[in-house]
Amino acid sequence: MPRTLPLATTALLAAALAAPVAAQDATLDRIDMPAGWAPEGITTDGTTLYAGSLANGAILEADPVTGETSVLVEGADGLSVAGIENDDYGRLWAAGATGAEVRVYDAESGELLATYPFEGGFLNDLTATPDGVYISDSFVPQVAVVPLGEDGALPAPEETSALPISGDLEYGEGFNANGIVATDAGLVIVHSGLGQLYRVDPASGESTLIDTAGVELTAGDGLELVDSTLHVVRNRLNQIVSLELDETVSSATLVGEVTSDDYDVPTTVAQVGDDLWAVNARFGTEATPETEFWMTRVDAPMGMAE
């Protein structure tokens, strides 16, 4: 489903970056983010939540138990973060949206470790494996690839590549490939406009439609994979759909659907324990320095793999 991203500048966040948001109630259903933050992506290392900013590329860290937040990476003019992903080496990867670059940060200090430019349309979401990081492009039929060396060593910029997508996944007008996750059988990508899931070979780029037995996934945005359970965020429909993937990632069965009165265009989700935390991008709401943004917690659907 095509999306219109809010435009904002660094001034949008100036007041918010001055101090962390105070701790909230111990039993949390919501974590307030700095006013004007404009989130799109969220990830977790299992204990801490990290959310990027479309407005200026800043990264926020949040404690899902206390609700305390602090700015890990300061924003800057001309930067943006769409998808964000942690890896097994203590790093955060940020997709630069129309900036067509991927940035890598130390997850503890916030230090910028590397920047990887690509020729792309909209670098949207990421998935990290021990061997590499794969980034979806919503406007160009390709997957951006950052290979990792021994023990996760970062490559030189010239070692990255763009993998053309072929097969069943076809691009059209508006947003196409969006959320992306990695499985043993290949990459899984959701097509926002068509509402379909595809398995993509990370070596050849060949894509195959995944049979979802008619489950509707239009407006599909971020994906979160926990064991064999795939959570699909349907942004403007304010819904998370959870499916169970078969061993070959050829078909998926509905596990459950979650909505919340607290949702306002959730875009991506991260799981901590039995909880799903989604950021609310609030697309369609004018972004000002006073615009409120927040994360919403819901219970993961029953029946998902632990």
Side-chain angles (χ1 to χ4, degrees), residues 151-211:
D151 295 325
L154 295 173
E158 60 268 20
E159 296 179 73
T160 64
S161 62
L163 178 69
I165 296 175
S166 59
D168 293 342
L169 201 170
E170 297 182 353
Y171 277 48
E173 295 294 325
F175 271 70
N176 295 273
N178 201 321
I180 182 172
V181 294
T183 74
D184 290 341
L187 305 172
V188 175
I189 292 176
V190 64
H191 189 296
S192 291
L194 299 176
Q196 302 280 6
L197 294 176
Y198 298 86
R199 185 181 71 251
V200 178
D201 187 317
S204 68
E206 179 73 18
S207 64
T208 305
L209 179 67
I210 297 173
D211 180 9

Side-chain angles (χ1 to χ4, degrees), residues 3 21 27 37 45 52 57 61-62 69 79 96 99 119-120 143 150 185 207 218 224 241 260 269 283 286 292 297 299:
R3 302 184 307 186
V21 175
T27 304
W37 189 264
D45 60 6
E61 56 183 352
T69 69
L79 295 184
E119 292 186 8
V143 175
E150 186 176 356
S207 64
T218 49
E224 172 83 337
V241 175
S260 171
V269 65
F283 295 145
E286 181 182 1
E292 295 181 353
R297 186 204 67 80
D299 296 328

Side-chain angles (χ1 to χ4, degrees), residues 183 225-230 244-245 305-306:
T183 74
L225 181 65
V226 180
D227 295 323
S228 58
T229 301
L230 181 69
E244 194 76 12
L245 298 173
E306 296 182 356

